[in-house]
Amino acid sequence: MIGSPDRRNDASDSGKSDGNPTRGLTRAPLVIVPIGLILGLAAVMFGARAAGEGGRPGPELFLFLLFLILGVISIVLAVRLSRPKVRRGYSRRIQSILLPILVLLMFPLASIAIIKANVEPEEQRRPFTPLAVMADSAKRQTVQLTVETQGESRPQTEINLVPQVGGKIVYVSPNFIEGGIFRRGETLIRIDPSDYEVAVVRAQANVAQAEQVLTREVAEGDIARADYEDLGRGEPSPLALRVPQRQQAEASLQAAKADLDNARLQLTRTSVTAPFDGRVRTKSSDIGQFVSPGSTLGRIFSTDIVEVRLPFTDADLAKIDLPIAYVAQNRASAPLVELTAVIGGVEQVWEARIMRTEATFDTQSRALFAIAEVFDPYGTGASQNGVPIAPGLFVNASIDGRVLENAIVIPRDGLRVDDEIYTVNNKGRAEIRTVTVLDASPERAVLSSGVEAGELVVLSPMERSRVSIPLKVLDVNDPSVVLVEPEEPEWMKRQRQREGYKAKPNADADDEDGSTDSDGTSE
């Protein structure tokens, strides 16, 4: 038959095919694919065990089903590739070789990669180290308010030394120098008195001449009266008795005497004397200089009283209850002021009294100035070291004010900008509070509201952003004493729970192997 040769050819081809040495190679996937599937399932089971210890078996179950499906598909493909064909090319042989190798590598590597991708990284937590701060509790105390202010000392009396007469300076006192000390009535400068002495002599001559004229007029009046009495012609007139001429002579005599007194006065004014005990601030003239009346010879000041002009705000006036129009009746009843200044590296202290306040407020600073006086600053009023309070010295003033009972007092370090403080509760949580400050000094702050007695106030320097974190509070008087130990955060508690959960199976295994004593030895 026509088709017989074809069948023979097919049979011969199939026979040849059965004898082909590559026939077994095409059936290799039937054996290798199940091996790859078994390796992949083993990797899945190993990952499932590791994940089971971590408590997450979900992804491994999904991988198990995925590899089961892939294994079935791989077996089907291997069966199809293993069927004999009439034509066998080199590409089909290569596929038959590569497919088992890829299957062997694909299942384990893919399962391991997927398992590692699903494993959570180990959490690394820093140890819980809270910020340690110093703190002290707010207290209720009876305190006396104080007012702190500053001022410049100045002499109560200071004048320009001027002559009343003109002339050439012929004498200058050794004490009339800048910084010189003089006494009241001491001659500081003497002007040439020659011209004034001549004026005195001339005035004395005029007085003598006026006295002679008056004597003559009196005598002539007496002669006229005697003549009228001898003639017996009645009562004479004043003109006949030369009464007007006598009065004129008397007036001339008085004028001459006045000129003499003026000449003597001008002569005494040639000596410029000190009107008080004091010191010389500046000197602007010297011997040999010609001066005119009213010209400045120098500037001097009195050393009996030194004043300090102290500014007070409205809040300061409320602390010391000082009236606006205040004038002390005497020194004993005046408010006491402590003045301090550093001179030569040593703090000097002087005692002063507020004797009065100025009549008006200062228009620039809106403050009322009070005048504090230091009596005898170069003597009994000097400092504890005998240092006088010199004019021009800038001093700090402290005035005792009203007494407050049951006021809240905190250390000054606890008061921050904008009248804020940081308080801490018994759990280490900080809080920012705004307080009302009544008085503040370098040591303490007196508050009226914003904090209660017994609450802890942070004294250590701390940024505002650190208020939100837990704080470890130490006693400022004894830093070894811990006042507040903050609680552990929630994340640390959860971490301890997880660590305890992981350690529990190990503990159960130890119990099965053998019990352990408290000292770590097995029974």
Side-chain angles (χ1 to χ4, degrees), residues 6-78:
D6 295 334
R7 285 194 296 269
R8 287 193 300 268
N9 293 333
D10 292 340
S12 62
D13 292 338
S14 62
K16 294 179 182 180
S17 166
D18 293 338
N20 194 349
T22 62
R23 183 178 183 87
L25 185 62
T26 59
R27 298 180 183 275
L30 294 175
V31 179
I32 298 176
V33 168
I35 296 175
L37 181 61
I38 293 172
L39 292 177
L41 293 178
V44 171
M45 296 304 294
F46 177 77
R49 180 181 179 184
E53 294 178 356
R56 294 189 60 182
E60 284 69 26
L61 181 61
F62 171 75
L63 289 176
F64 179 79
L65 297 177
L66 178 62
F67 282 121
L68 185 62
I69 296 173
L70 292 177
V72 173
I73 295 174
S74 300
I75 292 175
V76 172
L77 292 176

Side-chain angles (χ1 to χ4, degrees), residues 306-319:
V306 170
E307 297 179 343
V308 180
R309 191 166 174 257
L310 302 175
F312 291 106
T313 63
D314 186 68
D316 295 336
L317 294 175
K319 292 179 184 179

Side-chain angles (χ1 to χ4, degrees), residues 334-382:
L336 179 64
V337 182
E338 185 180 84
L339 305 177
T340 59
V342 178
I343 301 177
V346 180
E347 186 180 46
Q348 308 295 336
V349 181
W350 300 274
E351 181 181 302
R353 297 280 180 171
I354 296 179
M355 301 304 296
R356 64 189 183 279
T357 58
E358 292 187 353
T360 59
F361 279 83
D362 185 72
T363 57
Q364 295 182 353
S365 61
R366 311 309 304 172
L368 180 67
F369 283 84
I371 307 301
E373 296 181 354
V374 180
F375 295 88
D376 192 14
Y378 288 84
T380 58

